[in-house]
Amino acid sequence: MEVLDKVKKQGKKSSYSISIIMPTFNSEKTLEDSLKSIRQQEFDQTQVEILLVDGGSTDRTAEIAQKYHAAIIHNTRKLPEFAKQQGLLAAKGRYGIFIDSDESFINLNSLKNRIRIMEKFPFVKNIVSTGQVCKKGEKGVVRYANFIGDPFSNFVYRYNGYNRIEDLTKQYKYKDIGNGILLNFEGCAVLPLFDALGNMFEIETAREIYYRDGEDKSYAANIFSNMVQQTRCAVVMKDDFLCHRAILNKKIYLNKLKWRVKNNLFRTEGVGFEQRRKKESGLHRKRLLFIPYCVLVVPVVLDAVRLTIKNRDLYFLNHFWYTEYTFFMIVWYVVLKIFHYPVKMGKTYGKDKA
């Protein structure tokens, strides 16, 4: 009863069908495309709540939000992980969707199709998109990042960001249900990495698990893993791609890789891989295997060639350098941690300093 009382206090009663929760920080370059793709959905817009959880933008983010009738919540901690947490607790919808300010829906019936599946299969509490695509002519580092995520995650999860279904049907039990595939995770020691790119969830269930688990500060950032640990199922939509317009160049991407390493090693909130590892037994072994994978070099070279051929994209040969850089960062910061050397953590994703 205590859990349900807390849910009610947070505004459990739904005023909308869907709450779109979007972390923002100086997002004017991509925000309008993202918001437009929500407002253009073939869905009753009076039933769509858009919450921008903003980390202190100084550009036109607020102005654009107002144009598309989006509410702004102030995120004093700046990082998107905490923005998601605030959004989850403030949302007034029956269902929630986490989407980034550089992501846009492509399928105009995305919201409608997802709700139909939730209503048809009430035991399903999580739905994810098919994958992400780039705009025509996008630079190589964006194409690579969209497919890979980061080299460490790609090694652990064998992640295909372009089309999740392609690899999922090889790794997990599934059932074709028309507009999507229903995944069964019973007995699985490792769950897919699905906390981003339009993850949809039932808000009431999400909050119940959040309060039951002791109001973990990293809960929303790992919401797919945290919820599916309980439900053991999820749906991946067909023909429901998002366009990802990452503002990336090689320097920014390397900074993001470094940030992810530092985030997992030094942040006390347990956001990211380290938090998932506590609940997914298979992740510890895969983490250790990353060491010989990088040290032996040849497996990384073979993977770079495989990815290049698979995607017909020569830029993927850079997978070798990005992987070895990630490994070097892990070794470097582990040494600093062992010797208790002070390491600065920035307040915005990928923009911190060593």
Side-chain angles (χ1 to χ4, degrees):
M1 288 299 294
E2 183 180 353
V3 168
L4 293 179
D5 288 342
K6 286 187 176 182
V7 172
K8 290 175 182 177
K9 287 179 182 179
Q10 291 292 343
K12 171 186 167 293
K13 186 176 180 181
S14 302
S15 303
Y16 300 91
S17 292
I18 298 178
S19 293
I20 308 287
I21 301 164
M22 182 183 297
T24 55
F25 178 71
N26 288 340
S27 303
E28 66 176 5
K29 292 182 180 179
T30 58
L31 181 60
E32 184 145 17
D33 283 350
S34 186
L35 294 179
K36 186 184 295 183
S37 78
I38 297 168
R39 291 307 187 194
Q40 289 179 339
Q41 286 285 303
E42 296 292 335
F43 192 81
D44 182 358
Q45 287 295 318
T46 65
Q47 290 298 304
V48 179
E49 174 187 41
I50 303 178
L51 296 177
L52 269 57
V53 192
D54 189 70
S57 295
T58 56
D59 63 358
R60 294 178 55 248
T61 293
E63 179 186 334
I64 297 169
Q66 185 177 19
K67 178 180 177 180
Y68 289 92
H69 305 288
I72 292 183
I73 300 174
H74 296 290
N75 172 22
T76 57
R77 300 191 68 179
K78 295 186 180 296
L79 287 171
E81 290 83 0
F82 305 117
K84 290 179 179 181
Q85 196 87 342
Q86 284 182 258
L88 171 64
L89 298 179
K92 297 178 182 177
R94 181 179 179 187
Y95 304 107
I97 295 180
F98 287 144
I99 184 171
D100 289 341
S101 59
D102 57 4
E103 297 170 350
S104 304
F105 290 104
I106 295 176
N107 188 330
L108 295 179
N109 293 301
S110 179
L111 301 185
K112 183 190 300 183
N113 291 339
R114 292 179 183 212
I115 284 186
R116 283 176 178 170
I117 285 182
M118 285 284 205
E119 291 175 345
K120 186 175 181 180
F121 302 95
F123 57 88
V124 172
K125 306 301 181 183
N126 293 84
I127 291 179
V128 299
S129 61
T130 315
Q132 56 190 340
V133 298
C134 302
K135 284 198 170 184
K136 187 176 180 181
E138 190 62 88
K139 62 180 67 174
V141 66
V142 176
R143 300 194 304 271
Y144 174 82
N146 277 2
F147 185 95
I148 294 291
D150 67 78
F152 177 77
S153 296
N154 180 259
F155 174 81
V156 171
Y157 299 98
R158 286 300 160 184
Y159 186 77
N160 179 344
Y162 287 175
N163 191 333
R164 292 164 159 175
I165 292 176
E166 182 180 316
D167 289 332
L168 288 170
T169 53
K170 300 173 185 176
Q171 299 178 40
Y172 301 100
K173 295 178 182 178
Y174 71 95
K175 178 181 178 182
D176 193 316
I177 56 172
N179 281 337
I181 63 168
L182 175 61
L183 296 168
N184 184 334
F185 299 116
E186 290 293 341
C188 295
V190 176
L191 299 174
L193 183 59
F194 282 165
D195 290 312
L197 197 65
N199 178 26
M200 179 174 174
F201 49 91
E202 186 185 68
I203 288 179
E204 180 181 351
T205 302
R207 287 177 178 161
E208 286 178 2
I209 296 172
Y210 167 69
Y211 289 121
R212 190 186 307 143
D213 287 355
E215 304 178 42
D216 188 341
K217 292 179 181 179
S218 67
Y219 176 82
N222 300 297
I223 197 165
F224 181 88
S225 175
N226 286 324
M227 292 185 70
V228 173
Q229 286 289 335
Q230 310 286 328
T231 65
R232 309 309 295 180
C233 68
V235 167
V236 181
M237 299 298 295
K238 296 179 182 177
D239 191 28
D240 189 4
F241 295 89
L242 271 68
C243 180
H244 185 207
R245 292 184 57 207
I247 307 299
L248 276 184
N249 55 38
K250 187 175 181 179
K251 181 179 178 181
I252 293 173
Y253 184 62
L254 291 175
N255 282 337
K256 287 182 179 291
L257 294 180
K258 181 170 67 173
W259 184 92
R260 290 188 181 189
V261 172
K262 293 166 68 175
N263 176 67
N264 279 290
L265 286 173
F266 295 100
R267 283 206 183 275
T268 58
E269 293 89 352
V271 174
F273 178 82
E274 285 302 305
Q275 179 67 15
R276 294 188 295 271
R277 185 176 65 85
K278 295 175 184 177
K279 297 184 179 181
E280 299 176 37
S281 58
L283 290 180
H284 180 67
R285 180 178 60 85
K286 287 197 170 188
R287 179 184 68 162
L288 295 178
L289 288 174
F290 188 67
I291 299 172
Y293 172 72
C294 295
V295 170
L296 293 173
V297 176
V298 173
V300 185
V301 173
L302 293 176
D303 254 355
V305 173
R306 176 184 62 84
L307 290 167
T308 299
I309 294 172
K310 176 182 177 60
N311 293 293
R312 299 179 182 179
D313 189 339
L314 287 174
Y315 193 87
F316 280 78
L317 289 173
N318 287 287
H319 179 68
F320 173 80
W321 303 111
Y322 288 136
T323 302
E324 295 299 335
Y325 173 82
T326 301
F327 178 62
F328 175 79
M329 287 294 103
I330 292 172
V331 172
W332 174 248
Y333 283 110
V334 165
V335 170
L336 294 183
K337 188 172 184 178
I338 290 172
F339 288 98
H340 304 287
Y341 187 86
V343 173
K344 294 181 180 180
M345 292 294 296
K347 294 183 178 181
T348 55
Y349 175 40
K351 297 180 181 179
D352 54 313
K353 297 180 180 180

